[in-house]
Amino acid sequence: MSIVVLIILLYLALMLTIGFIVQRRGGVETSKGYLVANRNVGPLLIGGTLFATFWGGGTLLGGAGAAYGGHMLATIADPWASGITLLLMAVFFVTILRKMKIASLGEMYYLRYGSKGALVASLLSLPTLIFWTSVQILAISKILNVLVGIPGVESAIIAGLIVVIYTYLGGMLAVIITDNIQMVLILLGLAVLIPTGITYVGGFDVIAANTPTDFWSILPSDNSPSGIGWTVTGIMAWFAAWCGMGLGSLASLDISQRVFCARDDRAARQGLLLGTGLYWVAGLGPIFLGLLGIVMVNTGMIDGAILAEDPELIVPYLAKTLLSPWMMALFVGSLMAAIMSTASSAIFAAAAVISTYAVHGAVSDHIRDEKAVLRFTRFLVVIIGIFCIGISFCASGLYDLMIFGFTLLFACLFWAVVCGLFWKRANAPGAIASMLGGLATTVLGVVVLSIQQGAPTLVPPDNEWTVFFTFGPMVVSGVAMYVVSMLTQGTYPPVPLKDTDGNILKWSDLEKVSGGVVKEKGHPVVLASPVSTDDD
């Protein structure tokens, strides 16, 4: 058995052990413990889990491949726009989300838009999480196939099942603990590969001599191979790169999940800021690895034909070329850590949004059946995890598929989240029209693009299509939210923003509340499985 395989097996055994320990210590016997880690997580752990959650196969392999093919300008969406998401969440969303006493963003949709609005929003949240998880599993198969020679299907199944098992056992607490262990391994892996690569190519002088013009520019450039130049389309594509991930990720379930786990607002806010800093600093790593790939191809150290077919293989090829067996074992462990932390977070967030829709008020002090929440959430972790493993075999590229998933959130759910929290007149019909309008426009674009390409196509092939998929559905969604909400104010009055105990948090002058019953502040109402609301 090679040292690399041994390290991988030890790492996987550690993840399983953590899941068993968390379960045996009794920290996940309640819905609050399983779903939001008893709301008792400090800022350091919050920052670490946010970093490890965002830092997955799409960032590491996909980001290096994007930098290799399109320079830093091609990596705006991730990591730079993703970091903006964490800053926006810290400044504008932490306080109000935590006051709602919810376990997932899906419950916010329920409280503002009723059961139908929550159902539509929850269903539209799932494709992004499924895409994202599938991207991680695909990354595992690529890494192990190149570095260890394990066939892609077998490696994806093994790693995927390990993620499902420790997530199933330990819930959100196990995810947070393993995320922070994985964060350390990620940083160690980069600390090994980058200096080794610099020495191998001949130092900074050789790198500087072979660095393409404007490689480090984040502004549009007519010389960039990404095609984002100083044209109308190029500038719009530049803004699209920032908005699709930067604003679309605000509706991402796994980020808000960490906010709900923090012990207080301050810990949540500090954790978000720490996560931003870690993500941006470490985000330079894949970009630099992409540059090393360019240097090694230019100097004949790597056959450019290998990377021309799949630039996302650059990281495993660099590791295979540069590292000794022990160092490669450490780096493979860090790659597995990065990928599995993201996969576990996405699987758990997908399971939580469905279970908290089915049993609303899942972490309320007045929840009636905690065991039902636990059983259902764990069942969903298994089903969703297995489904994502299967979907990964149908995926091809990492970075673009990840970007498309978050752009879909921007198209369908951005206005539902922002208006739900900050616009008094938003109501259920407006939200549903907004979400379905964004989805319909996206689907129409996919159909037209697929006909144009002659095959089913999700990933935009050029900047014109990128601009359309980013802004077209979002504009339709925003217009639908405003127009339909205003036209239906009389028949479907908007409801106040309230917590899961029925206490009104904002807009107390809106007297008509979910179910036709006014809930006075200080008189909590027990909430269980989906109840009739004013949009039913």
Side-chain angles (χ1 to χ4, degrees):
M1 180 183 296
S2 71
I3 185 62
V4 176
V5 174
L6 179 60
I7 291 293
I8 291 172
L9 292 177
L10 289 174
Y11 171 74
L12 295 178
L14 174 63
M15 297 300 101
L16 287 177
T17 301
I18 290 171
F20 278 111
I21 290 174
V22 171
Q23 185 188 46
R24 291 294 299 271
R25 291 185 63 185
V28 293
E29 293 178 352
T30 65
S31 56
K32 186 178 291 186
Y34 193 76
L35 291 170
V36 291
N38 287 312
R39 299 193 189 280
N40 195 35
V41 182
L44 292 179
L45 289 179
I46 292 292
T49 186
L50 282 166
F51 166 72
T53 296
F54 264 37
W55 187 274
T59 304
L60 189 51
L61 274 68
Y68 176 83
H71 305 167
M72 192 162 81
L73 191 56
T75 68
I76 288 176
D78 191 42
W80 311 113
S82 297
I84 294 293
T85 302
L86 301 183
L87 291 178
L88 292 174
M89 186 68 71
V91 174
F92 297 108
F93 292 85
V94 163
T95 300
I96 190 63
L97 285 174
R98 288 182 53 81
K99 283 183 178 179
M100 297 179 75
K101 301 179 183 178
I102 55 182
S104 80
L105 202 56
E107 288 192 275
M108 186 281 289
Y109 299 125
Y110 185 99
L111 292 166
R112 262 326 306 266
Y113 305 133
S115 61
K116 290 180 181 176
L119 177 61
V120 174
S122 298
L123 291 176
L124 290 179
S125 300
L126 295 179
T128 295
L129 293 171
I130 291 171
F131 282 154
W132 204 17
T133 307
S134 300
V135 159
Q136 312 315 315
I137 296 171
L138 175 63
I140 290 173
S141 66
K142 284 188 176 185
I143 290 168
L144 296 185
N145 183 256
V146 171
L147 294 181
V148 187
I150 301 175
V153 173
E154 285 85 343
S155 59
I157 291 174
I158 293 170
L161 289 178
I162 295 294
V163 169
V164 170
I165 292 170
Y166 78 72
T167 305
Y168 174 91
L169 291 172
M172 194 63 206
L173 184 57
V175 171
I176 289 174
I177 293 172
T178 53
D179 276 356
N180 278 271
I181 294 172
Q182 290 154 349
M183 175 195 69
V184 173
L185 291 174
I186 292 165
L187 297 177
L188 283 175
L190 290 175
V192 167
L193 186 58
I194 291 176
T196 304
I198 293 172
T199 302
Y200 184 83
V201 300
F204 286 107
D205 290 341
V206 175
I207 293 173
N210 287 275
T211 299
T213 305
D214 295 332
F215 178 89
W216 292 107
S217 174
I218 206 166
L219 296 175
S221 171
D222 293 332
N223 297 321
S224 172
S226 68
I228 302 178
W230 291 107
T231 63
V232 173
T233 300
I235 294 171
M236 290 295 291
W238 186 80
F239 279 109
W242 287 102
C243 292
M245 284 285 284
L247 298 180
S249 296
L250 290 172
S252 178
L253 300 173
D254 46 359
I255 299 175
S256 56
Q257 200 84 29
R258 271 71 184 165
V259 171
F260 303 140
C261 293
R263 63 174 172 237
D264 53 37
D265 292 6
R266 183 179 181 184
R269 199 169 285 111
Q270 290 176 339
L272 285 162
L273 295 176
L274 175 61
T276 302
L278 287 170
Y279 199 65
W280 277 346
V281 171
L284 290 169
I287 296 171
F288 192 80
L289 293 176
L291 175 59
L292 284 180
I294 293 173
V295 173
M296 293 175 76
V297 169
N298 288 348
T299 55
M301 298 179 183
I302 291 181
D303 184 359
I306 296 174
L307 300 180
E309 184 176 347
D310 188 356
E312 291 173 349
L313 292 176
I314 187 169
V315 172
Y317 271 112
L318 285 175
K320 190 174 183 179
T321 302
L322 301 178
L323 301 180
S324 66
W326 274 100
M327 287 182 133
M328 190 167 76
L330 175 61
F331 188 71
V332 171
S334 75
L335 288 175
M336 295 286 289
I339 294 162
M340 293 177 73
S341 65
T342 303
S344 64
S345 299
I347 290 171
F348 189 83
V353 75
I354 299 175
S355 67
T356 54
Y357 169 78
V359 186
H360 180 57
V363 296
S364 167
D365 293 335
H366 307 281
I367 181 65
R368 289 173 179 165
D369 192 352
E370 288 192 291
K371 297 299 182 184
V373 179
L374 292 172
R375 287 194 301 268
F376 191 39
T377 306
R378 281 180 161 144
F379 169 77
L380 290 169
V381 165
V382 174
I383 296 301
I384 293 171
I386 293 174
F387 181 71
C388 290
I389 293 172
I391 290 293
S392 69
F393 302 141
C394 304
S396 54
L398 298 173
Y399 195 80
D400 289 335
L401 186 59
M402 177 186 68
I403 302 298
F404 181 82
F406 283 95
T407 301
L408 185 62
L409 283 184
F410 185 48
C412 300
L413 294 173
F414 173 74
W415 293 113
V417 172
V418 173
C419 293
L421 294 173
F422 301 109
W423 187 41
K424 178 178 179 177
R425 298 300 179 189
N427 66 3
I432 293 172
S434 173
M435 293 182 285
L436 295 181
L439 176 64
T441 309
T442 300
V443 170
L444 177 62
V446 169
V447 170
V448 173
L449 174 61
S450 298
I451 293 173
Q452 183 185 90
Q453 298 292 310
T457 306
L458 283 179
V459 177
D462 52 43
N463 286 329
E464 286 80 4
W465 276 107
T466 297
V467 170
F468 169 79
F469 277 119
T470 304
F471 294 118
M474 185 273 294
V475 171
V476 171
S477 176
V479 170
M481 170 65 85
Y482 180 79
V483 172
V484 176
S485 290
M486 296 306 293
L487 290 177
T488 57
Q489 292 288 294
T491 52
Y492 291 89
V495 302
L497 189 69
K498 52 191 183 297
D499 65 21
T500 54
D501 291 329
N503 301 316
I504 295 176
L505 303 176
K506 295 177 70 172
W507 313 308
S508 58
D509 57 311
L510 298 175
E511 294 181 350
K512 183 175 175 61
V513 185
S514 176
V517 179
V518 178
K519 302 175 180 65
E520 298 293 333
K521 188 172 180 65
H523 294 79
V525 175
V526 179
L527 297 172
S529 54
V531 296
S532 177
T533 63
D534 55 63
D535 63 281
D536 293 329

